[in-house]
Each structure stands twice: as structure tokens, then as C-alpha cells.
Amino acid sequence: MTINLFYFLSFVAVFSALLVVFSKNPVYSVLYLIITFFAIAGHYVLLNAEFLAAVHVIVYAGAIMVLFLYVIMMLNLNTETEPHKSNLLKFAAAICAGLLMIVLVGSLKGSELLQSPVMVHDVGLVKNLGKVLFTDFLLPFEIASVLLLAAMVGAVMLGKSEKPPANETKTSK
Amino acid sequence: MIPIDYYLWLSAVLFTIGVMGVLYRRNAIVVFMCIELMLNAVNLVMVAFSNYRNDAAGQVFVFFIMAVAAAEVAVGLAILIVMYRNTKTTDINILNRLKW
């Protein structure tokens, strides 16, 4: 049962990840990426990481992908304005990715780590995770908040209209 | 229970698809989405290892990766909007000033 669910979720994730790359319209890419993220959240549930699954759906599918959709809408991108590489470059990209896949498979195959015993644990519960997060990782947690604040300020600064006030342009010239 | 190498293969495939997307597309937004895909592949393998070795540190790490990814997306999309304002396109071939 579990293994069938794993195969189904993996198939959905890989198939929609391929469609992210190959679909012509950026809006469809975003929608397929959301499907991929839901499949990955399903994998988290299978791995007994329920809280991470919820956070993943909220942060990625809920926040980040909506941000992508809004930016695509603001920039008014569609299939006609979509630039494409030449067929030779596309072929080279696929070859390079295939070579990377071969390297990854070859390096992971036969490693002794994979034969470790398999048990069911409950580290993914909110209680255990919160205990670790607020004792061992308290300082990185606080620093992450500073990082988010800095990112917010940076995004606002970058997104601001570039037209400076009239008196400033005269002094700068 | 699923063996851990299945998760390793799955996230290797997802990471490879992300790399292929970065090389394959010229639209900067789609390239950005493929980078998100690669981050998620790494997150998946981290959660798998944290579960199999009964260590919560891996899942806490995934939290921090998610926070950094959110910050990165906010700043990156702001940069994309500035780029679109200046060049009227999101084609990454326009940005070739650093090309040697």
C-alpha cells in the first residue's frame, strides 16, 4: 500500500516537473510546479514529517507560487513573448542533464549508507521538532527572522519606482 | 516502509530535471522556478535521512532552507521586475555584460 502510494506520488512529481520545463506558457509552468510541490508534501507525509508537509504546502504552494503568478501577471508574459533557445542548445542542455544524472546515480549506487536498518520514528511531530528548534537551533532561528526582514526591505527597495525626486536629479547632474 | 535509496533516486531525478530546466529555458522566471525545484529535491532527501536516522536536525535544516528560499524568491522576483522595467523582457540572453 505504502509503496504504491510512493510510486504514484513519485510519478506525479517527476511528470509535472518535466512539464514545468517543457510547457510553453509560464503560467502553466507555475501550475505544474504547484502540483510537484503537493506531491513532495505527500512524500513528507509518507516520511512521518506531517508538520513539514503542512509548512511546505503553506509556504511553497501558498505563498511563493502566488508570488510567481502575480509577477507573471504584472509582466504580462505569455506564449508569444516567450524566448526560446535554438534546438542545438536544447539538445546540449538535455545531454548535460543526462550526464549529471549518470554521475549522481553512479556515485550513489552501492554506497554502504543505503543498507542502514529501517525503522518508524516520530521525529517529525510538532512537539519533538519544536523542542529541537527552540533549544539547539535557537540562534539560527532568530537570525532567520533578521534575514527575512532584510529580504523584505530589499524587495521593497528594489521594487520601488526608479524615478527620483526632481531636485535630486539636478544635483546629481 | 520504503527503502531510503528510492528517495535518493527520486530526488536525484528531480534535481536533474531542475538542472535541465535551468539550461533549457531562456525565460528568467522559469529558470527561477527550476531553481526552486532543485531546492525541493534537496529538501526531500534531507527529510528522508532525518526520518531514517531518527535525527530531527535534518528537518530543522529544511525549515531554514524554506526560510532562505522565501527570502530569495522575494528579492529575486524584485530583481526580475527591475530587469523587466529596464529591458522590457525577461530573456536572460539580454544580460550578457558579464560574458567574457
Side-chain angles (χ1 to χ4, degrees):
Chain A
M1 178 58 206
T2 315
I3 195 83
N4 285 336
L5 202 57
F6 173 83
Y7 283 132
F8 172 71
L9 286 173
S10 306
F11 175 75
V12 170
V14 170
F15 186 71
S16 52
L18 281 174
L19 282 174
V20 170
V21 177
F22 291 120
S23 63
K24 302 267 183 242
N25 198 328
V27 179
Y28 291 156
S29 288
V30 172
L31 296 179
Y32 287 127
L33 195 58
I34 291 175
I35 296 175
T36 311
F37 285 162
F38 271 103
I40 291 175
H43 278 301
Y44 288 170
V45 173
L46 278 186
L47 284 166
N48 299 320
E50 289 88 3
F51 186 54
L52 261 190
V55 169
H56 188 264
V57 168
I58 292 168
V59 171
Y60 272 106
I64 292 180
M65 286 299 113
V66 170
L67 207 58
F68 270 105
L69 272 182
Y70 264 83
V71 168
I72 288 173
M73 185 192 74
M74 276 169 61
L75 302 188
N76 204 9
L77 298 176
N78 49 32
T79 320
E80 286 83 44
T81 58
E82 171 79 15
H84 277 290
K85 286 189 175 173
S86 68
N87 279 329
L88 180 68
L89 280 177
K90 283 181 177 176
F91 186 67
I95 293 291
C96 286
L99 287 176
L100 178 70
M101 183 75 211
I102 290 173
V103 168
L104 281 177
V105 168
S107 61
L108 292 175
K109 205 165 174 56
S111 95
E112 295 199 355
L113 202 62
L114 303 184
Q115 274 90 44
S116 61
V118 168
M119 288 167 282
V120 181
H121 301 301
D122 54 350
V123 285
L125 299 180
V126 184
K127 192 179 163 192
N128 302 329
L129 217 51
K131 206 179 276 173
V132 176
L133 187 60
F134 288 107
T135 51
D136 297 344
F137 292 91
L138 187 58
L139 182 64
F141 181 77
E142 299 293 340
I143 292 173
S145 66
V146 177
L147 173 75
L148 286 173
L149 177 69
M152 191 177 74
V153 173
V156 171
M157 276 298 295
L158 284 170
K160 213 172 56 174
S161 176
E162 291 207 338
K163 201 179 286 176
N167 52 355
E168 255 184 40
T169 46
K170 277 174 188 165
T171 51
S172 65
K173 280 175 187 172
Chain B
M1 198 69 185
I2 301 143
I4 194 169
D5 41 343
Y6 286 21
Y7 282 104
L8 281 177
W9 305 139
L10 172 64
S11 55
V13 169
L14 283 178
F15 191 89
T16 311
I17 292 172
V19 170
M20 185 175 71
V22 169
L23 296 172
Y24 193 87
R25 297 297 291 260
R26 268 171 63 189
N27 192 341
I29 288 184
V30 182
V31 170
F32 210 26
M33 283 193 272
C34 292
I35 292 173
E36 293 298 313
L37 198 59
M38 287 194 268
L39 279 175
N40 273 283
V42 175
N43 277 355
L44 181 62
V45 85
M46 256 189 202
V47 173
F49 269 113
S50 117
N51 189 45
Y52 278 81
R53 312 202 57 92
N54 200 14
D55 188 359
Q59 300 197 10
V60 174
F61 233 85
V62 172
F63 271 121
F64 291 128
I65 293 176
M66 278 182 191
V68 172
E72 174 227 331
V73 165
V75 176
L77 286 177
I79 290 173
L80 270 183
I81 288 180
V82 172
M83 169 188 164
Y84 186 80
R85 214 181 267 149
N86 289 334
T87 64
K88 294 291 167 214
T89 178
T90 53
D91 186 355
I92 52 172
N93 277 23
I94 300 292
L95 307 174
N96 55 4
R97 302 261 169 79
L98 289 179
K99 215 175 186 177
W100 185 50

